[in-house]
Amino acid sequence: MDGRRLLVVLVVGVLLALAGCSGTTTDATPAETLIETTTLTDATTPTASPATTPGETSSTTPTDPDGTLSVHYLNVGQGSATLVVGPTGETMLIDSGDWRDDGEIVLDYLRQLDIDGLDYLVTSHADADHIGGHAAVIEYFETEGEGIGAVYDPGITSTSNTYERYLDAIEDYNVTLYQTRAGDEIPLKNVNAQVLAPPEDYIANGDRNENSLVMRLAFGKTSMLLPGDGETASEEYLRTEYGDALNVSVLAAGHHGSQSSTGDAFLDTTAPQIAVISSAYDSQYGHPDEAVLQRLAERSIRTYWTATHGNIQLRTNGSALTVATQAVAPTSPLDLRDGSPVEPGNTDPLEDRTIVSTTGTVTTPVATDGGSTTPTATETPTATTTPTATETPTATATPTATESGTLAIAEIHEDAQGTERENLNDEYVVFENTGDEALDLSGWTVDDAADHTYTFPSGFTLDPGAQVTLHTGSGTDSATDLYWGSGSPIWNNAGDTVFVHDDEGTPVLTEEY
């Protein structure tokens, strides 16, 4: 697919203000907007990057990531704005908050980080709580900064004044605008920035929410999914189109935590370790919906909410995530509303709270007081106990000897009896020490093909001839039984691969079934 297409936009009719984002995308006035598309041929304009399937490595993404990818979820109230700072310093802004703020919160934040231009401005969709600051952002950087590299838009228009001003700013400052579809890739250096939706032929009768531009960012073993306001139809399209390749470390809850998004099936497919919700503390739409919080809680997904955590920054070196927030607040989904509200535009500094291994399920508090350092967009998280993401085991079913013993797989029981989600502990892998000496498994990891990872507890030793069963579900660890703690099945019944690495990340064992 040629991918990005230059938009020529002609606005026809009366354009009225859109008051905000709700469950409907119907504008107040049925005025028409005409969009014509042409194939981009101008050689002076950045060309589209080759598309890859989620989970694949792009030619623009190093397998050994160097530097830090930093993603900021801004507290803009009942709206959305996400800043991405790549490992080479390139910047991408995805949405710009609500129209009532006119970009001031976003611009203040960017100025605090000394950002003087944007390489990429991405529009998830045309609702005024997502493009509310676009015109102001474009004008500011084109007149007082180093400009906007290009704008990316899914191509479904709106009849709001906010949208008109956005288009006027693009025209006034001659900013390149690309119509963007599934299969395109935004050329953020050293990061795989894939567009997964909308498809070439829009779904759901062209509904704006359902045709949100969905972005997946991958850096090393870390990945993040930004689904805009996609709801049931968008999530179904993504699951059908990409399947298990949708697995990510971090998921932004769709449509601000609306009940119609972040569904059970979508959560099971994406299987995130962290969820981020962007909405107002006193959202008039009841965001986040209790049903969504319940679904997140059932899967034990650590959840951050801009309304109570304030601005949220996730930094990754490719193998671990450092989470920084403005405020200390609950991360258990059902307890989110116990946190105190943080006013949008609050300038309190970010403080590191937690380091999360994206190759394991263990989280490490940065400090008992919630941390005291103020992160910058270029800091690299420290994760000395995390296996590196660069070592790829070679396929072999032969047990590997170590100084202390030899680890082998005695049994893989991937098909739990009955409903797997309700019987997770009947899905298990049995490991055996076939050597002559005790085998210290402290910090060793077990991975599947989708990068779900379990880390053996510190001090766990397997005696010669002894076996230990690693169950998928939850329970109390013992010398013979360990528990992954997953809220969903791990091992694919249709076939999968068991990878084992030692505490230094060295491949020890690989077995396919």
Side-chain angles (χ1 to χ4, degrees):
M1 177 184 298
D2 184 25
R4 299 179 297 170
R5 308 151 187 84
L6 191 61
L7 284 184
V8 181
V9 183
L10 302 174
V11 181
V12 182
V14 179
L15 302 171
L16 299 178
L18 178 66
C21 180
S22 65
T24 178
T25 60
T26 303
D27 288 311
T29 304
E32 295 180 355
T33 304
L34 174 65
I35 291 187
E36 298 175 355
T37 62
T38 59
T39 301
L40 181 64
T41 57
D42 186 351
T44 64
T45 308
T47 57
S49 299
T52 58
T53 300
E56 290 182 354
T57 301
S58 166
S59 59
T60 63
T61 307
T63 55
D64 184 4
D66 184 19
T68 301
L69 172 66
S70 179
V71 180
H72 306 243
Y73 302 83
L74 277 59
N75 177 21
V76 291
Q78 188 60 34
S80 181
T82 305
L83 171 68
V84 180
V85 180
T88 66
E90 281 196 318
T91 54
M92 176 191 299
L93 180 65
I94 305 172
D95 294 338
S96 58
D98 188 67
W99 66 277
R100 297 173 183 85
D101 174 57
D102 196 26
E104 280 307 305
I105 292 176
V106 171
L107 284 171
D108 285 347
Y109 192 86
L110 297 177
R111 284 188 285 257
Q112 288 173 34
L113 294 180
D114 294 325
I115 292 175
D116 52 14
L118 290 174
D119 296 288
Y120 316 100
L121 175 60
V122 177
T123 300
S124 70
H125 63 300
D127 282 1
D129 59 335
H130 290 254
I131 62 167
H134 272 35
V137 167
I138 293 170
E139 180 178 6
Y140 174 78
F141 284 117
E142 289 291 332
T143 59
E144 301 185 42
E146 296 185 0
I148 306 288
V151 178
Y152 299 78
D153 188 298
I156 296 180
T157 62
S158 168
T159 58
S160 70
N161 283 332
T162 303
Y163 187 74
E164 181 186 17
R165 288 188 287 107
Y166 156 47
L167 295 183
D168 286 346
I170 289 173
E171 182 178 3
D172 290 345
Y173 297 103
N174 196 28
V175 178
T176 301
L177 173 64
Y178 293 115
Q179 187 178 108
T180 310
R181 291 287 205 283
D184 295 345
E185 186 173 336
I186 295 176
L188 183 65
K189 291 180 182 177
N190 294 345
V191 177
N192 194 357
Q194 298 171 284
V195 177
L196 305 188
E200 185 69 26
D201 296 324
Y202 295 125
I203 60 176
N205 296 316
D207 180 273
R208 278 205 305 274
N209 282 356
E210 296 286 27
N211 289 282
S212 290
L213 190 154
V214 178
M215 177 76 65
R216 185 182 191 271
L217 304 173
F219 184 67
K221 278 199 169 184
T222 305
S223 52
M224 304 177 188
L225 190 66
L226 297 139
D229 275 1
E231 301 178 278
T232 304
S234 177
E235 293 183 356
E236 177 62 23
Y237 165 79
L238 292 169
R239 290 195 309 109
T240 301
E241 187 72 14
Y242 305 106
D244 290 341
L246 276 179
N247 176 264
V248 290
S249 312
V250 181
L251 173 67
H255 202 182
H256 316 284
S258 168
Q259 191 275 339
S260 56
S261 302
T262 321
D264 282 309
F266 193 63
L267 283 172
D268 290 342
T269 302
T270 54
Q273 293 173 267
I274 293 174
V276 179
I277 300 172
S278 179
S279 67
Y281 186 82
D282 54 353
S283 166
Q284 61 180 308
Y285 310 109
H287 298 156
D289 192 276
E290 286 299 315
V292 173
L293 299 181
Q294 182 64 44
R295 292 195 284 264
L296 294 169
E298 288 172 356
R299 293 160 178 81
S300 301
I301 298 172
R302 178 183 290 264
T303 303
Y304 293 86
W305 185 22
T306 56
T308 54
H309 291 94
N311 297 323
I312 300 161
Q313 182 199 46
L314 302 181
R315 306 192 311 278
T316 178
N317 60 2
S319 61
L321 281 161
T322 296
V323 183
T325 67
Q326 286 184 297
V328 176
T331 57
S332 176
L334 296 179
D335 296 332
L336 286 187
R337 287 190 166 88
D338 293 341
S340 300
V342 176
E343 188 69 21
N346 183 298
T347 58
D348 289 346
L350 289 161
E351 297 186 3
D352 288 355
R353 310 295 178 186
T354 305
I355 295 175
V356 179
S357 167
T358 56
T359 58
T361 58
V362 178
T363 59
T364 306
V366 173
T368 56
D369 63 354
S372 57
T373 61
T374 303
T376 67
T378 58
E379 287 179 317
T380 302
T382 303
T384 57
T385 61
T386 303
T388 61
T390 62
E391 294 147 330
T392 304
T394 56
T396 174
T398 304
T400 302
T402 68
E403 293 180 357
S404 303
T406 304
L407 187 69
I409 294 176
E411 180 184 0
I412 301 172
H413 192 254
E414 72 279 8
D415 190 6
Q417 185 175 2
T419 303
E420 291 194 344
R421 176 172 289 280
E422 298 174 359
N423 194 20
L424 290 174
N425 284 336
D426 194 40
E427 182 186 84
Y428 55 82
V429 178
V430 180
F431 295 97
E432 181 177 359
N433 180 1
T434 59
D436 298 326
E437 299 182 36
L439 185 59
D440 184 2
L441 298 178
S442 301
W444 287 34
T445 59
V446 180
D447 299 77
D448 71 343
D451 286 339
H452 299 102
T453 302
Y454 169 82
T455 304
F456 282 95
S458 177
F460 186 84
T461 301
L462 195 60
D463 291 332
Q467 293 184 344
V468 61
T469 301
L470 175 58
H471 302 272
T472 294
S474 300
T476 302
D477 289 345
S478 69
T480 58
D481 294 274
L482 297 173
Y483 297 87
W484 195 300
S486 174
S488 58
I490 296 293
W491 305 110
N492 193 330
N493 293 351
D496 209 333
T497 305
V498 182
F499 301 104
V500 179
H501 294 74
D502 67 15
D503 57 349
E504 295 181 351
T506 303
V508 171
L509 177 64
T510 302
E511 186 158 336
E512 299 180 0
Y513 65 86

